[in-house]
PDB file of all heavy atoms in Angstrom:
ATOM      1  N   GLY B  70      89.117 101.654 171.211  1.00  0.00           N
ATOM      2  CA  GLY B  70      89.787 102.196 170.037  1.00  0.00           C
ATOM      3  C   GLY B  70      91.144 102.765 170.358  1.00  0.00           C
ATOM      4  O   GLY B  70      91.602 103.702 169.704  1.00  0.00           O
ATOM      5  N   ILE B  71      91.790 102.193 171.360  1.00  0.00           N
ATOM      6  CA  ILE B  71      93.111 102.687 171.737  1.00  0.00           C
ATOM      7  C   ILE B  71      94.130 101.538 171.584  1.00  0.00           C
ATOM      8  O   ILE B  71      93.917 100.463 172.147  1.00  0.00           O
ATOM      9  CB  ILE B  71      93.085 103.256 173.179  1.00  0.00           C
ATOM     10  CG1 ILE B  71      94.477 103.550 173.708  1.00  0.00           C
ATOM     11  CG2 ILE B  71      92.376 102.353 174.175  1.00  0.00           C
ATOM     12  CD1 ILE B  71      94.982 104.847 173.241  1.00  0.00           C
ATOM     13  N   PRO B  72      95.183 101.760 170.827  1.00  0.00           N
ATOM     14  CA  PRO B  72      96.134 100.655 170.627  1.00  0.00           C
ATOM     15  C   PRO B  72      96.835 100.268 171.938  1.00  0.00           C
ATOM     16  O   PRO B  72      97.257 101.135 172.704  1.00  0.00           O
ATOM     17  CB  PRO B  72      97.165 101.235 169.653  1.00  0.00           C
ATOM     18  CG  PRO B  72      96.570 102.497 169.127  1.00  0.00           C
ATOM     19  CD  PRO B  72      95.578 102.981 170.125  1.00  0.00           C
ATOM     20  N   ILE B  73      96.895  98.988 172.201  1.00  0.00           N
ATOM     21  CA  ILE B  73      97.671  98.478 173.340  1.00  0.00           C
ATOM     22  C   ILE B  73      98.782  97.637 172.716  1.00  0.00           C
ATOM     23  O   ILE B  73      98.529  96.554 172.188  1.00  0.00           O
ATOM     24  CB  ILE B  73      96.798  97.653 174.302  1.00  0.00           C
ATOM     25  CG1 ILE B  73      95.660  98.540 174.841  1.00  0.00           C
ATOM     26  CG2 ILE B  73      97.637  97.085 175.446  1.00  0.00           C
ATOM     27  CD1 ILE B  73      94.611  97.806 175.651  1.00  0.00           C
ATOM     28  N   ILE B  74      99.992  98.177 172.724  1.00  0.00           N
ATOM     29  CA  ILE B  74     101.051  97.586 171.906  1.00  0.00           C
ATOM     30  C   ILE B  74     101.519  96.240 172.461  1.00  0.00           C
ATOM     31  O   ILE B  74     101.656  95.287 171.721  1.00  0.00           O
ATOM     32  CB  ILE B  74     102.258  98.559 171.794  1.00  0.00           C
ATOM     33  CG1 ILE B  74     101.780  99.942 171.354  1.00  0.00           C
ATOM     34  CG2 ILE B  74     103.304  98.014 170.829  1.00  0.00           C
ATOM     35  CD1 ILE B  74     101.096  99.999 170.013  1.00  0.00           C
ATOM     36  N   ASN B  75     101.805  96.185 173.752  1.00  0.00           N
ATOM     37  CA  ASN B  75     102.375  94.961 174.306  1.00  0.00           C
ATOM     38  C   ASN B  75     101.586  94.460 175.507  1.00  0.00           C
ATOM     39  O   ASN B  75     101.095  95.259 176.302  1.00  0.00           O
ATOM     40  CB  ASN B  75     103.812  95.206 174.757  1.00  0.00           C
ATOM     41  CG  ASN B  75     104.700  95.606 173.610  1.00  0.00           C
ATOM     42  OD1 ASN B  75     104.835  94.879 172.631  1.00  0.00           O
ATOM     43  ND2 ASN B  75     105.298  96.777 173.711  1.00  0.00           N
ATOM     44  N   LYS B  76     101.494  93.135 175.585  1.00  0.00           N
ATOM     45  CA  LYS B  76     100.966  92.501 176.786  1.00  0.00           C
ATOM     46  C   LYS B  76     102.120  91.651 177.281  1.00  0.00           C
ATOM     47  O   LYS B  76     102.622  90.805 176.530  1.00  0.00           O
ATOM     48  CB  LYS B  76      99.745  91.638 176.479  1.00  0.00           C
ATOM     49  CG  LYS B  76      98.538  92.418 175.942  1.00  0.00           C
ATOM     50  CD  LYS B  76      98.545  92.489 174.440  1.00  0.00           C
ATOM     51  CE  LYS B  76      97.464  93.432 173.899  1.00  0.00           C
ATOM     52  NZ  LYS B  76      97.666  93.693 172.460  1.00  0.00           N
ATOM     53  N   ARG B  77     102.538  91.895 178.527  1.00  0.00           N
ATOM     54  CA  ARG B  77     103.764  91.244 178.989  1.00  0.00           C
ATOM     55  C   ARG B  77     103.614  90.703 180.406  1.00  0.00           C
ATOM     56  O   ARG B  77     102.652  91.006 181.092  1.00  0.00           O
ATOM     57  CB  ARG B  77     104.917  92.248 178.944  1.00  0.00           C
ATOM     58  CG  ARG B  77     105.271  92.635 177.518  1.00  0.00           C
ATOM     59  CD  ARG B  77     106.218  93.807 177.478  1.00  0.00           C
ATOM     60  NE  ARG B  77     106.763  93.989 176.136  1.00  0.00           N
ATOM     61  CZ  ARG B  77     107.473  95.032 175.771  1.00  0.00           C
ATOM     62  NH1 ARG B  77     107.730  95.997 176.628  1.00  0.00           N
ATOM     63  NH2 ARG B  77     107.937  95.125 174.545  1.00  0.00           N
ATOM     64  N   ILE B  78     104.631  89.969 180.815  1.00  0.00           N
ATOM     65  CA  ILE B  78     104.604  89.377 182.155  1.00  0.00           C
ATOM     66  C   ILE B  78     105.926  89.647 182.858  1.00  0.00           C
ATOM     67  O   ILE B  78     106.994  89.581 182.243  1.00  0.00           O
ATOM     68  CB  ILE B  78     104.333  87.860 182.065  1.00  0.00           C
ATOM     69  CG1 ILE B  78     102.912  87.643 181.520  1.00  0.00           C
ATOM     70  CG2 ILE B  78     104.484  87.186 183.419  1.00  0.00           C
ATOM     71  CD1 ILE B  78     102.579  86.224 181.225  1.00  0.00           C
ATOM     72  N   ALA B  79     105.836  89.997 184.135  1.00  0.00           N
ATOM     73  CA  ALA B  79     107.034  90.166 184.961  1.00  0.00           C
ATOM     74  C   ALA B  79     106.894  89.230 186.155  1.00  0.00           C
ATOM     75  O   ALA B  79     105.842  89.202 186.798  1.00  0.00           O
ATOM     76  CB  ALA B  79     107.137  91.613 185.435  1.00  0.00           C
ATOM     77  N   VAL B  80     107.924  88.461 186.428  1.00  0.00           N
ATOM     78  CA  VAL B  80     107.833  87.483 187.520  1.00  0.00           C
ATOM     79  C   VAL B  80     108.840  87.787 188.629  1.00  0.00           C
ATOM     80  O   VAL B  80     109.745  88.606 188.462  1.00  0.00           O
ATOM     81  CB  VAL B  80     108.038  86.041 186.995  1.00  0.00           C
ATOM     82  CG1 VAL B  80     106.955  85.672 185.988  1.00  0.00           C
ATOM     83  CG2 VAL B  80     109.423  85.861 186.390  1.00  0.00           C
ATOM     84  N   THR B  81     108.651  87.121 189.760  1.00  0.00           N
ATOM     85  CA  THR B  81     109.584  87.220 190.885  1.00  0.00           C
ATOM     86  C   THR B  81     111.007  86.949 190.381  1.00  0.00           C
ATOM     87  O   THR B  81     111.191  86.030 189.567  1.00  0.00           O
ATOM     88  CB  THR B  81     109.243  86.137 191.938  1.00  0.00           C
ATOM     89  OG1 THR B  81     107.846  86.181 192.194  1.00  0.00           O
ATOM     90  CG2 THR B  81     110.025  86.349 193.220  1.00  0.00           C
ATOM     91  N   PRO B  82     112.004  87.709 190.852  1.00  0.00           N
ATOM     92  CA  PRO B  82     113.374  87.426 190.418  1.00  0.00           C
ATOM     93  C   PRO B  82     113.691  85.926 190.540  1.00  0.00           C
ATOM     94  O   PRO B  82     113.511  85.340 191.619  1.00  0.00           O
ATOM     95  CB  PRO B  82     114.224  88.263 191.374  1.00  0.00           C
ATOM     96  CG  PRO B  82     113.350  89.429 191.697  1.00  0.00           C
ATOM     97  CD  PRO B  82     111.949  88.870 191.752  1.00  0.00           C
ATOM     98  N   ILE B  83     114.108  85.338 189.435  1.00  0.00           N
ATOM     99  CA  ILE B  83     114.297  83.883 189.391  1.00  0.00           C
ATOM    100  C   ILE B  83     115.377  83.417 190.376  1.00  0.00           C
ATOM    101  O   ILE B  83     115.320  82.298 190.892  1.00  0.00           O
ATOM    102  CB  ILE B  83     114.596  83.427 187.933  1.00  0.00           C
ATOM    103  CG1 ILE B  83     113.363  83.661 187.048  1.00  0.00           C
ATOM    104  CG2 ILE B  83     115.038  81.968 187.868  1.00  0.00           C
ATOM    105  CD1 ILE B  83     112.110  82.900 187.451  1.00  0.00           C
ATOM    106  N   ALA B  84     116.324  84.287 190.695  1.00  0.00           N
ATOM    107  CA  ALA B  84     117.357  83.901 191.672  1.00  0.00           C
ATOM    108  C   ALA B  84     116.709  83.521 193.009  1.00  0.00           C
ATOM    109  O   ALA B  84     117.202  82.651 193.726  1.00  0.00           O
ATOM    110  CB  ALA B  84     118.345  85.041 191.869  1.00  0.00           C
ATOM    111  N   ILE B  85     115.595  84.166 193.335  1.00  0.00           N
ATOM    112  CA  ILE B  85     114.882  83.863 194.586  1.00  0.00           C
ATOM    113  C   ILE B  85     114.070  82.579 194.420  1.00  0.00           C
ATOM    114  O   ILE B  85     114.109  81.681 195.262  1.00  0.00           O
ATOM    115  CB  ILE B  85     113.952  85.046 194.969  1.00  0.00           C
ATOM    116  CG1 ILE B  85     114.784  86.299 195.244  1.00  0.00           C
ATOM    117  CG2 ILE B  85     113.075  84.684 196.156  1.00  0.00           C
ATOM    118  CD1 ILE B  85     113.970  87.574 195.393  1.00  0.00           C
ATOM    119  N   VAL B  86     113.359  82.492 193.301  1.00  0.00           N
ATOM    120  CA  VAL B  86     112.473  81.347 193.067  1.00  0.00           C
ATOM    121  C   VAL B  86     113.277  80.046 192.974  1.00  0.00           C
ATOM    122  O   VAL B  86     112.859  79.003 193.482  1.00  0.00           O
ATOM    123  CB  VAL B  86     111.673  81.555 191.752  1.00  0.00           C
ATOM    124  CG1 VAL B  86     110.749  80.375 191.481  1.00  0.00           C
ATOM    125  CG2 VAL B  86     110.885  82.854 191.801  1.00  0.00           C
ATOM    126  N   ALA B  87     114.446  80.123 192.334  1.00  0.00           N
ATOM    127  CA  ALA B  87     115.213  78.895 192.043  1.00  0.00           C
ATOM    128  C   ALA B  87     116.315  78.627 193.062  1.00  0.00           C
ATOM    129  O   ALA B  87     117.087  77.687 192.904  1.00  0.00           O
ATOM    130  CB  ALA B  87     115.820  78.999 190.641  1.00  0.00           C
ATOM    131  N   GLU B  88     116.361  79.433 194.096  1.00  0.00           N
ATOM    132  CA  GLU B  88     117.454  79.343 195.074  1.00  0.00           C
ATOM    133  C   GLU B  88     117.671  77.913 195.594  1.00  0.00           C
ATOM    134  O   GLU B  88     118.804  77.455 195.723  1.00  0.00           O
ATOM    135  CB  GLU B  88     117.139  80.271 196.258  1.00  0.00           C
ATOM    136  CG  GLU B  88     118.228  80.367 197.301  1.00  0.00           C
ATOM    137  CD  GLU B  88     119.087  81.613 197.146  1.00  0.00           C
ATOM    138  OE1 GLU B  88     118.503  82.709 197.100  1.00  0.00           O
ATOM    139  OE2 GLU B  88     120.304  81.490 197.057  1.00  0.00           O
ATOM    140  N   SER B  89     116.569  77.212 195.880  1.00  0.00           N
ATOM    141  CA  SER B  89     116.734  75.884 196.490  1.00  0.00           C
ATOM    142  C   SER B  89     116.775  74.751 195.471  1.00  0.00           C
ATOM    143  O   SER B  89     116.784  73.583 195.834  1.00  0.00           O
ATOM    144  CB  SER B  89     115.608  75.650 197.503  1.00  0.00           C
ATOM    145  OG  SER B  89     114.366  75.795 196.856  1.00  0.00           O
ATOM    146  N   SER B  90     116.773  75.095 194.171  1.00  0.00           N
ATOM    147  CA  SER B  90     116.783  74.032 193.158  1.00  0.00           C
ATOM    148  C   SER B  90     118.209  73.674 192.753  1.00  0.00           C
ATOM    149  O   SER B  90     119.057  74.541 192.632  1.00  0.00           O
ATOM    150  CB  SER B  90     116.040  74.491 191.905  1.00  0.00           C
ATOM    151  OG  SER B  90     114.766  74.952 192.235  1.00  0.00           O
ATOM    152  N   LYS B  91     118.398  72.404 192.529  1.00  0.00           N
ATOM    153  CA  LYS B  91     119.693  71.952 192.023  1.00  0.00           C
ATOM    154  C   LYS B  91     119.583  71.850 190.502  1.00  0.00           C
ATOM    155  O   LYS B  91     118.562  71.400 189.990  1.00  0.00           O
ATOM    156  CB  LYS B  91     120.029  70.556 192.588  1.00  0.00           C
ATOM    157  CG  LYS B  91     120.047  70.490 194.106  1.00  0.00           C
ATOM    158  CD  LYS B  91     121.406  70.919 194.654  1.00  0.00           C
ATOM    159  CE  LYS B  91     121.423  70.907 196.164  1.00  0.00           C
ATOM    160  NZ  LYS B  91     120.587  71.969 196.776  1.00  0.00           N
ATOM    161  N   GLY B  92     120.640  72.235 189.822  1.00  0.00           N
ATOM    162  CA  GLY B  92     120.611  72.073 188.363  1.00  0.00           C
ATOM    163  C   GLY B  92     120.845  73.387 187.648  1.00  0.00           C
ATOM    164  O   GLY B  92     121.149  74.408 188.267  1.00  0.00           O
ATOM    165  N   ASP B  93     120.652  73.328 186.341  1.00  0.00           N
ATOM    166  CA  ASP B  93     121.004  74.439 185.467  1.00  0.00           C
ATOM    167  C   ASP B  93     119.840  75.434 185.360  1.00  0.00           C
ATOM    168  O   ASP B  93     118.754  75.078 184.909  1.00  0.00           O
ATOM    169  CB  ASP B  93     121.338  73.840 184.089  1.00  0.00           C
ATOM    170  CG  ASP B  93     121.788  74.901 183.108  1.00  0.00           C
ATOM    171  OD1 ASP B  93     121.912  76.079 183.511  1.00  0.00           O
ATOM    172  OD2 ASP B  93     122.003  74.544 181.936  1.00  0.00           O
ATOM    173  N   TYR B  94     120.092  76.678 185.755  1.00  0.00           N
ATOM    174  CA  TYR B  94     119.021  77.687 185.723  1.00  0.00           C
ATOM    175  C   TYR B  94     118.534  78.024 184.314  1.00  0.00           C
ATOM    176  O   TYR B  94     117.444  78.557 184.150  1.00  0.00           O
ATOM    177  CB  TYR B  94     119.499  78.985 186.399  1.00  0.00           C
ATOM    178  CG  TYR B  94     119.486  78.951 187.906  1.00  0.00           C
ATOM    179  CD1 TYR B  94     119.340  77.764 188.612  1.00  0.00           C
ATOM    180  CD2 TYR B  94     119.607  80.139 188.625  1.00  0.00           C
ATOM    181  CE1 TYR B  94     119.344  77.747 189.992  1.00  0.00           C
ATOM    182  CE2 TYR B  94     119.604  80.143 190.008  1.00  0.00           C
ATOM    183  CZ  TYR B  94     119.470  78.939 190.691  1.00  0.00           C
ATOM    184  OH  TYR B  94     119.462  78.930 192.037  1.00  0.00           O
ATOM    185  N   VAL B  95     119.350  77.753 183.319  1.00  0.00           N
ATOM    186  CA  VAL B  95     118.927  78.051 181.943  1.00  0.00           C
ATOM    187  C   VAL B  95     117.615  77.328 181.611  1.00  0.00           C
ATOM    188  O   VAL B  95     116.788  77.828 180.848  1.00  0.00           O
ATOM    189  CB  VAL B  95     120.048  77.689 180.935  1.00  0.00           C
ATOM    190  CG1 VAL B  95     119.578  77.873 179.501  1.00  0.00           C
ATOM    191  CG2 VAL B  95     121.276  78.554 181.202  1.00  0.00           C
ATOM    192  N   LYS B  96     117.413  76.179 182.252  1.00  0.00           N
ATOM    193  CA  LYS B  96     116.149  75.453 182.056  1.00  0.00           C
ATOM    194  C   LYS B  96     114.955  76.321 182.441  1.00  0.00           C
ATOM    195  O   LYS B  96     113.890  76.252 181.829  1.00  0.00           O
ATOM    196  CB  LYS B  96     116.128  74.183 182.916  1.00  0.00           C
ATOM    197  CG  LYS B  96     116.985  73.066 182.391  1.00  0.00           C
ATOM    198  CD  LYS B  96     116.835  71.830 183.288  1.00  0.00           C
ATOM    199  CE  LYS B  96     117.578  70.645 182.692  1.00  0.00           C
ATOM    200  NZ  LYS B  96     117.533  69.485 183.601  1.00  0.00           N
ATOM    201  N   VAL B  97     115.138  77.128 183.490  1.00  0.00           N
ATOM    202  CA  VAL B  97     114.038  77.997 183.946  1.00  0.00           C
ATOM    203  C   VAL B  97     113.745  79.048 182.876  1.00  0.00           C
ATOM    204  O   VAL B  97     112.583  79.336 182.566  1.00  0.00           O
ATOM    205  CB  VAL B  97     114.383  78.668 185.296  1.00  0.00           C
ATOM    206  CG1 VAL B  97     113.249  79.577 185.744  1.00  0.00           C
ATOM    207  CG2 VAL B  97     114.685  77.618 186.357  1.00  0.00           C
ATOM    208  N   ALA B  98     114.822  79.615 182.301  1.00  0.00           N
ATOM    209  CA  ALA B  98     114.633  80.609 181.238  1.00  0.00           C
ATOM    210  C   ALA B  98     113.854  79.981 180.084  1.00  0.00           C
ATOM    211  O   ALA B  98     112.963  80.604 179.502  1.00  0.00           O
ATOM    212  CB  ALA B  98     115.981  81.131 180.751  1.00  0.00           C
TER     213      ALA B  98
END
Side-chain angles (χ1 to χ4, degrees):
Chain B
I71 170 82
I73 300 172
I74 309 299
N75 298 302
K76 297 91 188 169
R77 293 169 168 171
I78 294 173
V80 298
T81 312
I83 294 299
I85 297 170
V86 180
E88 184 99 53
S89 57
S90 307
K91 303 275 178 291
D93 183 4
Y94 282 13
V95 175
K96 285 183 174 175
V97 179

